[in-house]
Amino acid sequence: MKRARAVELVEQMLNRLDDDQGWPLSLVQQVWLFGSFARGALEPHDVDVAVRFERDERMTEAVVHSLLSGRGNPFAPLRRALAGASRGLQFQFEDSAREQLEAEGTVMHPLWQRGGTLPQALAVLHGIAEVPGAGRAERDDMIDAFDGLDRHIPRPVRAELITWQQQGFITIARTALPDTPADTNLLSDPQIRWAIERRWNADSPLRRAALAGLAHLRGLGADLDDVDLAGRRLPTPRRMAGHRSEARWWVNWKWQGYTGIPYCVTSGDGWLEVVQPTRTRPLNALVIQPGPKATAFRG
């Protein structure tokens, strides 16, 4: 992305903050820029924006509902209000993640705060000097499996995954997930079809990710009786008939519950994390399975 386009996107965001003080923009308290754009890159990949906001009852309910249902980004209302339909702005909404980045040396460039004026914020934006040759910062907490996906894997998550792998508790591999055929027999059982259709609309990226993930696991020989799909077990015929077993595979996205990965993987067969589900773009996933010292973790 050319820098002029990146500046335009930030200007549009600032104008939204200045023009519309309804919910949820009224919750926003402070905005920072960081990453390559803030360092002056002439062609940043995107614009990294950190946001501090108040969590009122309505926002808390929206976040909890999203997390419990497994449907989309819990901060989607705030993201849409700030960015519109643009994909060029990447937001960090969690205070803990922003503070972790700062502790690791990431410079947060104050852009806007409640009580300030639009001209003040625009002056800050246009005061960031262009720096020829400035690019992405050296990426820490990286392995080959994360290459090209790291913007969708928070740095604290990457750090923990790498630590678990280095300790021998897990292994991490990357795979591309093809779309399931329209006539897939994954949905041949009416109970499973009902469960999938009840959770996600036909055009939902999460439904696409769910079916692609299930198809991949079945290709690995996994039994659908033993799969936990985004926090819920599948209503397979055996389970509906009373069969009960512990989950052995987990399919997830948005890193929900990722801290449980070593506990799940070392007592089962694996965790499939679909990275950034989309409606049309290629689906990528990380396949996380027991490492050579998995039993030591449980012991």
mmCIF file of all heavy atoms in Angstrom, residues 51-83:
data_model
loop_
_atom_site.group_PDB
_atom_site.id
_atom_site.type_symbol
_atom_site.label_atom_id
_atom_site.label_comp_id
_atom_site.label_asym_id
_atom_site.label_seq_id
_atom_site.Cartn_x
_atom_site.Cartn_y
_atom_site.Cartn_z
ATOM 1 N N VAL A 51 -6.019 0.848 20.149
ATOM 2 C CA VAL A 51 -7.179 1.604 20.623
ATOM 3 C C VAL A 51 -7.464 1.250 22.079
ATOM 4 O O VAL A 51 -7.530 0.069 22.431
ATOM 5 C CB VAL A 51 -8.425 1.301 19.766
ATOM 6 C CG1 VAL A 51 -9.644 2.058 20.307
ATOM 7 C CG2 VAL A 51 -8.172 1.641 18.306
ATOM 8 N N ARG A 52 -7.620 2.271 22.896
ATOM 9 C CA ARG A 52 -8.101 2.065 24.272
ATOM 10 C C ARG A 52 -9.541 2.554 24.346
ATOM 11 O O ARG A 52 -9.840 3.665 23.917
ATOM 12 C CB ARG A 52 -7.239 2.827 25.277
ATOM 13 C CG ARG A 52 -7.674 2.601 26.739
ATOM 14 C CD ARG A 52 -6.681 3.237 27.712
ATOM 15 N NE ARG A 52 -6.667 4.681 27.604
ATOM 16 C CZ ARG A 52 -7.532 5.501 28.207
ATOM 17 N NH1 ARG A 52 -8.508 4.988 28.951
ATOM 18 N NH2 ARG A 52 -7.435 6.810 28.070
ATOM 19 N N PHE A 53 -10.429 1.711 24.847
ATOM 20 C CA PHE A 53 -11.839 2.088 24.902
ATOM 21 C C PHE A 53 -12.468 1.614 26.204
ATOM 22 O O PHE A 53 -11.969 0.692 26.852
ATOM 23 C CB PHE A 53 -12.601 1.500 23.709
ATOM 24 C CG PHE A 53 -12.691 0.000 23.721
ATOM 25 C CD1 PHE A 53 -13.831 -0.635 24.209
ATOM 26 C CD2 PHE A 53 -11.645 -0.779 23.251
ATOM 27 C CE1 PHE A 53 -13.918 -2.020 24.229
ATOM 28 C CE2 PHE A 53 -11.729 -2.166 23.262
ATOM 29 C CZ PHE A 53 -12.863 -2.782 23.762
ATOM 30 N N GLU A 54 -13.551 2.261 26.573
ATOM 31 C CA GLU A 54 -14.306 1.864 27.749
ATOM 32 C C GLU A 54 -15.229 0.703 27.390
ATOM 33 O O GLU A 54 -15.801 0.683 26.298
ATOM 34 C CB GLU A 54 -15.144 3.040 28.272
ATOM 35 C CG GLU A 54 -14.324 4.174 28.853
ATOM 36 C CD GLU A 54 -15.209 5.277 29.396
ATOM 37 O OE1 GLU A 54 -16.424 5.265 29.088
ATOM 38 O OE2 GLU A 54 -14.695 6.138 30.120
ATOM 39 N N ARG A 55 -15.372 -0.228 28.311
ATOM 40 C CA ARG A 55 -16.250 -1.374 28.071
ATOM 41 C C ARG A 55 -17.560 -1.158 28.824
ATOM 42 O O ARG A 55 -17.653 -1.498 29.996
ATOM 43 C CB ARG A 55 -15.572 -2.665 28.512
ATOM 44 C CG ARG A 55 -14.281 -2.934 27.760
ATOM 45 C CD ARG A 55 -13.783 -4.336 28.002
ATOM 46 N NE ARG A 55 -12.527 -4.563 27.318
ATOM 47 C CZ ARG A 55 -12.216 -5.685 26.682
ATOM 48 N NH1 ARG A 55 -13.065 -6.674 26.669
ATOM 49 N NH2 ARG A 55 -11.051 -5.817 26.087
ATOM 50 N N ASP A 56 -18.536 -0.608 28.130
ATOM 51 C CA ASP A 56 -19.829 -0.456 28.767
ATOM 52 C C ASP A 56 -20.593 -1.780 28.712
ATOM 53 O O ASP A 56 -20.112 -2.779 28.161
ATOM 54 C CB ASP A 56 -20.623 0.678 28.120
ATOM 55 C CG ASP A 56 -21.007 0.386 26.670
ATOM 56 O OD1 ASP A 56 -20.549 -0.642 26.123
ATOM 57 O OD2 ASP A 56 -21.760 1.187 26.091
ATOM 58 N N GLU A 57 -21.780 -1.795 29.262
ATOM 59 C CA GLU A 57 -22.549 -3.034 29.335
ATOM 60 C C GLU A 57 -22.864 -3.580 27.945
ATOM 61 O O GLU A 57 -22.775 -4.791 27.699
ATOM 62 C CB GLU A 57 -23.849 -2.790 30.101
ATOM 63 C CG GLU A 57 -24.687 -4.044 30.307
ATOM 64 C CD GLU A 57 -25.915 -3.784 31.164
ATOM 65 O OE1 GLU A 57 -26.019 -2.677 31.726
ATOM 66 O OE2 GLU A 57 -26.769 -4.675 31.269
ATOM 67 N N ARG A 58 -23.174 -2.691 27.029
ATOM 68 C CA ARG A 58 -23.522 -3.139 25.670
ATOM 69 C C ARG A 58 -22.330 -3.795 24.984
ATOM 70 O O ARG A 58 -22.457 -4.841 24.352
ATOM 71 C CB ARG A 58 -24.033 -1.949 24.862
ATOM 72 C CG ARG A 58 -24.518 -2.301 23.464
ATOM 73 C CD ARG A 58 -25.073 -1.058 22.790
ATOM 74 N NE ARG A 58 -25.442 -1.310 21.401
ATOM 75 C CZ ARG A 58 -25.881 -0.372 20.567
ATOM 76 N NH1 ARG A 58 -26.003 0.889 20.989
ATOM 77 N NH2 ARG A 58 -26.173 -0.673 19.317
ATOM 78 N N MET A 59 -21.150 -3.185 25.105
ATOM 79 C CA MET A 59 -19.962 -3.762 24.485
ATOM 80 C C MET A 59 -19.591 -5.079 25.155
ATOM 81 O O MET A 59 -19.215 -6.055 24.492
ATOM 82 C CB MET A 59 -18.798 -2.779 24.555
ATOM 83 C CG MET A 59 -17.479 -3.325 23.995
ATOM 84 S SD MET A 59 -17.575 -3.827 22.238
ATOM 85 C CE MET A 59 -17.604 -2.215 21.440
ATOM 86 N N THR A 60 -19.686 -5.130 26.471
ATOM 87 C CA THR A 60 -19.373 -6.366 27.187
ATOM 88 C C THR A 60 -20.282 -7.497 26.725
ATOM 89 O O THR A 60 -19.834 -8.617 26.495
ATOM 90 C CB THR A 60 -19.510 -6.158 28.704
ATOM 91 O OG1 THR A 60 -18.590 -5.147 29.112
ATOM 92 C CG2 THR A 60 -19.216 -7.443 29.458
ATOM 93 N N GLU A 61 -21.569 -7.205 26.564
ATOM 94 C CA GLU A 61 -22.509 -8.219 26.091
ATOM 95 C C GLU A 61 -22.161 -8.675 24.673
ATOM 96 O O GLU A 61 -22.230 -9.870 24.365
ATOM 97 C CB GLU A 61 -23.931 -7.667 26.124
ATOM 98 C CG GLU A 61 -24.498 -7.500 27.527
ATOM 99 C CD GLU A 61 -25.894 -6.907 27.510
ATOM 100 O OE1 GLU A 61 -26.361 -6.527 26.413
ATOM 101 O OE2 GLU A 61 -26.516 -6.821 28.587
ATOM 102 N N ALA A 62 -21.771 -7.735 23.821
ATOM 103 C CA ALA A 62 -21.411 -8.082 22.447
ATOM 104 C C ALA A 62 -20.182 -8.984 22.411
ATOM 105 O O ALA A 62 -20.122 -9.961 21.656
ATOM 106 C CB ALA A 62 -21.165 -6.817 21.626
ATOM 107 N N VAL A 63 -19.177 -8.652 23.240
ATOM 108 C CA VAL A 63 -17.954 -9.457 23.277
ATOM 109 C C VAL A 63 -18.244 -10.849 23.814
ATOM 110 O O VAL A 63 -17.815 -11.857 23.241
ATOM 111 C CB VAL A 63 -16.884 -8.752 24.134
ATOM 112 C CG1 VAL A 63 -15.693 -9.674 24.380
ATOM 113 C CG2 VAL A 63 -16.413 -7.465 23.455
ATOM 114 N N VAL A 64 -18.985 -10.934 24.908
ATOM 115 C CA VAL A 64 -19.298 -12.235 25.502
ATOM 116 C C VAL A 64 -20.104 -13.077 24.533
ATOM 117 O O VAL A 64 -19.840 -14.275 24.352
ATOM 118 C CB VAL A 64 -20.057 -12.046 26.836
ATOM 119 C CG1 VAL A 64 -20.597 -13.377 27.332
ATOM 120 C CG2 VAL A 64 -19.141 -11.422 27.876
ATOM 121 N N HIS A 65 -21.089 -12.478 23.874
ATOM 122 C CA HIS A 65 -21.913 -13.231 22.922
ATOM 123 C C HIS A 65 -21.068 -13.767 21.778
ATOM 124 O O HIS A 65 -21.217 -14.914 21.346
ATOM 125 C CB HIS A 65 -23.026 -12.339 22.383
ATOM 126 C CG HIS A 65 -23.924 -13.025 21.387
ATOM 127 N ND1 HIS A 65 -23.696 -12.974 20.027
ATOM 128 C CD2 HIS A 65 -25.009 -13.821 21.554
ATOM 129 C CE1 HIS A 65 -24.622 -13.678 19.396
ATOM 130 N NE2 HIS A 65 -25.425 -14.205 20.302
ATOM 131 N N SER A 66 -20.149 -12.941 21.272
ATOM 132 C CA SER A 66 -19.293 -13.374 20.171
ATOM 133 C C SER A 66 -18.397 -14.527 20.592
ATOM 134 O O SER A 66 -18.236 -15.509 19.868
ATOM 135 C CB SER A 66 -18.441 -12.207 19.669
ATOM 136 O OG SER A 66 -17.547 -12.618 18.668
ATOM 137 N N LEU A 67 -17.814 -14.435 21.773
ATOM 138 C CA LEU A 67 -16.910 -15.483 22.245
ATOM 139 C C LEU A 67 -17.653 -16.785 22.497
ATOM 140 O O LEU A 67 -17.172 -17.876 22.156
ATOM 141 C CB LEU A 67 -16.202 -15.027 23.520
ATOM 142 C CG LEU A 67 -15.206 -13.877 23.359
ATOM 143 C CD1 LEU A 67 -14.687 -13.430 24.718
ATOM 144 C CD2 LEU A 67 -14.041 -14.280 22.458
ATOM 145 N N LEU A 68 -18.849 -16.697 23.078
ATOM 146 C CA LEU A 68 -19.604 -17.906 23.381
ATOM 147 C C LEU A 68 -20.152 -18.574 22.126
ATOM 148 O O LEU A 68 -20.251 -19.796 22.053
ATOM 149 C CB LEU A 68 -20.752 -17.580 24.338
ATOM 150 C CG LEU A 68 -20.353 -17.182 25.767
ATOM 151 C CD1 LEU A 68 -21.583 -16.820 26.577
ATOM 152 C CD2 LEU A 68 -19.582 -18.307 26.450
ATOM 153 N N SER A 69 -20.502 -17.775 21.135
ATOM 154 C CA SER A 69 -21.089 -18.328 19.916
ATOM 155 C C SER A 69 -20.046 -18.728 18.888
ATOM 156 O O SER A 69 -20.320 -19.497 17.975
ATOM 157 C CB SER A 69 -22.037 -17.302 19.281
ATOM 158 O OG SER A 69 -21.334 -16.161 18.824
ATOM 159 N N GLY A 70 -18.806 -18.204 19.056
ATOM 160 C CA GLY A 70 -17.768 -18.478 18.070
ATOM 161 C C GLY A 70 -17.986 -17.747 16.767
ATOM 162 O O GLY A 70 -17.464 -18.143 15.734
ATOM 163 N N ARG A 71 -18.773 -16.688 16.807
ATOM 164 C CA ARG A 71 -19.126 -15.977 15.577
ATOM 165 C C ARG A 71 -18.342 -14.684 15.444
ATOM 166 O O ARG A 71 -18.673 -13.671 16.062
ATOM 167 C CB ARG A 71 -20.629 -15.681 15.554
ATOM 168 C CG ARG A 71 -21.476 -16.936 15.512
ATOM 169 C CD ARG A 71 -22.957 -16.617 15.556
ATOM 170 N NE ARG A 71 -23.751 -17.837 15.536
ATOM 171 C CZ ARG A 71 -25.072 -17.873 15.659
ATOM 172 N NH1 ARG A 71 -25.737 -16.757 15.810
ATOM 173 N NH2 ARG A 71 -25.717 -19.027 15.644
ATOM 174 N N GLY A 72 -17.300 -14.720 14.650
ATOM 175 C CA GLY A 72 -16.596 -13.525 14.245
ATOM 176 C C GLY A 72 -15.748 -12.856 15.311
ATOM 177 O O GLY A 72 -15.497 -13.386 16.380
ATOM 178 N N ASN A 73 -15.316 -11.655 14.975
ATOM 179 C CA ASN A 73 -14.451 -10.847 15.816
ATOM 180 C C ASN A 73 -15.275 -10.190 16.923
ATOM 181 O O ASN A 73 -16.240 -9.470 16.640
ATOM 182 C CB ASN A 73 -13.788 -9.780 14.942
ATOM 183 C CG ASN A 73 -12.861 -8.875 15.711
ATOM 184 O OD1 ASN A 73 -12.768 -8.940 16.932
ATOM 185 N ND2 ASN A 73 -12.166 -8.008 14.988
ATOM 186 N N PRO A 74 -14.931 -10.403 18.189
ATOM 187 C CA PRO A 74 -15.731 -9.803 19.263
ATOM 188 C C PRO A 74 -15.734 -8.284 19.241
ATOM 189 O O PRO A 74 -16.627 -7.662 19.798
ATOM 190 C CB PRO A 74 -15.072 -10.341 20.536
ATOM 191 C CG PRO A 74 -13.703 -10.757 20.129
ATOM 192 C CD PRO A 74 -13.832 -11.231 18.714
ATOM 193 N N PHE A 75 -14.745 -7.676 18.586
ATOM 194 C CA PHE A 75 -14.682 -6.216 18.517
ATOM 195 C C PHE A 75 -15.145 -5.691 17.159
ATOM 196 O O PHE A 75 -14.847 -4.552 16.793
ATOM 197 C CB PHE A 75 -13.260 -5.742 18.807
ATOM 198 C CG PHE A 75 -12.729 -6.213 20.131
ATOM 199 C CD1 PHE A 75 -11.675 -7.111 20.192
ATOM 200 C CD2 PHE A 75 -13.294 -5.785 21.315
ATOM 201 C CE1 PHE A 75 -11.189 -7.554 21.407
ATOM 202 C CE2 PHE A 75 -12.822 -6.219 22.545
ATOM 203 C CZ PHE A 75 -11.768 -7.114 22.588
ATOM 204 N N ALA A 76 -15.879 -6.511 16.412
ATOM 205 C CA ALA A 76 -16.298 -6.130 15.061
ATOM 206 C C ALA A 76 -17.092 -4.826 15.026
ATOM 207 O O ALA A 76 -16.862 -3.999 14.127
ATOM 208 C CB ALA A 76 -17.100 -7.263 14.424
ATOM 209 N N PRO A 77 -18.020 -4.559 15.962
ATOM 210 C CA PRO A 77 -18.744 -3.281 15.886
ATOM 211 C C PRO A 77 -17.820 -2.073 15.978
ATOM 212 O O PRO A 77 -18.003 -1.081 15.261
ATOM 213 C CB PRO A 77 -19.697 -3.344 17.090
ATOM 214 C CG PRO A 77 -19.865 -4.805 17.367
ATOM 215 C CD PRO A 77 -18.530 -5.419 17.042
ATOM 216 N N LEU A 78 -16.816 -2.172 16.838
ATOM 217 C CA LEU A 78 -15.884 -1.061 17.001
ATOM 218 C C LEU A 78 -14.986 -0.933 15.781
ATOM 219 O O LEU A 78 -14.707 0.184 15.317
ATOM 220 C CB LEU A 78 -15.052 -1.284 18.265
ATOM 221 C CG LEU A 78 -14.237 -0.107 18.806
ATOM 222 C CD1 LEU A 78 -15.098 1.135 18.944
ATOM 223 C CD2 LEU A 78 -13.609 -0.483 20.134
ATOM 224 N N ARG A 79 -14.566 -2.059 15.244
ATOM 225 C CA ARG A 79 -13.717 -2.009 14.058
ATOM 226 C C ARG A 79 -14.457 -1.383 12.876
ATOM 227 O O ARG A 79 -13.914 -0.550 12.162
ATOM 228 C CB ARG A 79 -13.242 -3.414 13.676
ATOM 229 C CG ARG A 79 -12.172 -3.370 12.610
ATOM 230 C CD ARG A 79 -12.030 -4.619 11.789
ATOM 231 N NE ARG A 79 -10.937 -4.456 10.830
ATOM 232 C CZ ARG A 79 -11.015 -3.725 9.730
ATOM 233 N NH1 ARG A 79 -12.132 -3.069 9.436
ATOM 234 N NH2 ARG A 79 -9.970 -3.615 8.923
ATOM 235 N N ARG A 80 -15.709 -1.797 12.658
ATOM 236 C CA ARG A 80 -16.496 -1.243 11.548
ATOM 237 C C ARG A 80 -16.706 0.253 11.721
ATOM 238 O O ARG A 80 -16.647 1.022 10.747
ATOM 239 C CB ARG A 80 -17.848 -1.944 11.455
ATOM 240 C CG ARG A 80 -17.793 -3.332 10.857
ATOM 241 C CD ARG A 80 -19.187 -3.816 10.496
ATOM 242 N NE ARG A 80 -20.062 -3.896 11.660
ATOM 243 C CZ ARG A 80 -20.194 -4.971 12.415
ATOM 244 N NH1 ARG A 80 -19.510 -6.073 12.132
ATOM 245 N NH2 ARG A 80 -21.025 -4.978 13.445
ATOM 246 N N ALA A 81 -16.960 0.686 12.949
ATOM 247 C CA ALA A 81 -17.190 2.105 13.189
ATOM 248 C C ALA A 81 -15.938 2.929 12.905
ATOM 249 O O ALA A 81 -16.018 4.062 12.423
ATOM 250 C CB ALA A 81 -17.655 2.317 14.625
ATOM 251 N N LEU A 82 -14.770 2.374 13.193
ATOM 252 C CA LEU A 82 -13.518 3.096 13.000
ATOM 253 C C LEU A 82 -13.016 3.029 11.557
ATOM 254 O O LEU A 82 -12.499 4.021 11.029
ATOM 255 C CB LEU A 82 -12.443 2.532 13.932
ATOM 256 C CG LEU A 82 -12.571 2.878 15.409
ATOM 257 C CD1 LEU A 82 -11.664 1.980 16.244
ATOM 258 C CD2 LEU A 82 -12.230 4.346 15.650
ATOM 259 N N ALA A 83 -13.135 1.874 10.941
ATOM 260 C CA ALA A 83 -12.483 1.649 9.640
ATOM 261 C C ALA A 83 -13.437 1.585 8.471
ATOM 262 O O ALA A 83 -12.988 1.594 7.324
ATOM 263 C CB ALA A 83 -11.677 0.354 9.699
#
